[in-house]
Amino acid sequence: MPAQWSAPVRYVECDQQGVVFNAHYLTWADEASNGWWASMGLSWEELVERRIDPLVKASSLEWSASARWGDTVTVDAETEQVGRTSVTARFTVRVGDRVCCVVRTTYVAITNGRSTPWPDDVRARLAA
């Protein structure tokens, strides 16, 4: 089951027509990422303690509908692909059953300022 994050759409997140401005989908994906990491047993504190810094390498967004002021958005977060030094998460932003946007974010494991392979136990949790 994917990790989830949910919130009502705030007026400040919308344009004059009440449609959510595009940058907020990335904010919502970032909010959902905390639950996604935690769903794999990887707290941000553990990663920091182990000196693993997952940095965003790339994000892409694909819209299919608009979220609007007054809606409640839910973001389903799940692992899409695990590489040697990277992992891609898929964040599906929806209102009810209507998918509004899919955000794909690729994180790269960084240690001492350089990309590094995920430790075996972390990679296993990411792939589970």
Side-chain angles (χ1 to χ4, degrees):
M1 169 165 245
Q4 286 187 338
W5 176 88
S6 187
V9 174
R10 302 175 307 156
Y11 180 77
V12 71
E13 295 167 322
C14 299
D15 62 19
Q16 292 291 330
Q17 291 76 40
V19 175
V20 172
F21 179 67
N22 59 46
H24 294 290
Y25 291 88
L26 285 170
T27 299
W28 296 337
D30 195 53
E31 289 283 355
S33 72
N34 292 316
W36 172 71
W37 288 105
S39 74
M40 294 174 288
L42 294 165
S43 70
W44 199 255
E45 294 78 15
E46 176 188 348
L47 293 169
V48 169
E49 184 177 292
R50 293 177 66 175
R51 300 194 191 301
I52 303 166
D53 191 9
L55 294 181
V56 173
K57 170 139 176 94
S59 285
S60 67
L61 296 86
E62 185 176 335
W63 286 273
S64 52
S66 296
R68 304 181 68 84
W69 182 52
D71 288 341
T72 296
V73 293
T74 300
V75 181
D76 300 316
E78 47 196 333
T79 304
E80 188 166 83
Q81 183 175 354
V82 179
R84 190 174 72 82
T85 63
S86 66
V87 62
T88 301
R90 181 178 58 244
F91 302 97
T92 303
V93 182
R94 59 186 173 79
V95 174
D97 292 333
R98 179 172 44 95
V99 174
C100 297
C101 183
V102 174
V103 179
R104 287 180 172 82
T105 300
T106 300
Y107 302 88
V108 174
I110 302 290
T111 302
N112 297 323
R114 300 198 127 140
S115 68
T116 186
W118 295 107
D120 290 340
D121 66 308
V122 171
R123 190 168 196 276
R125 288 189 259 177
L126 291 170

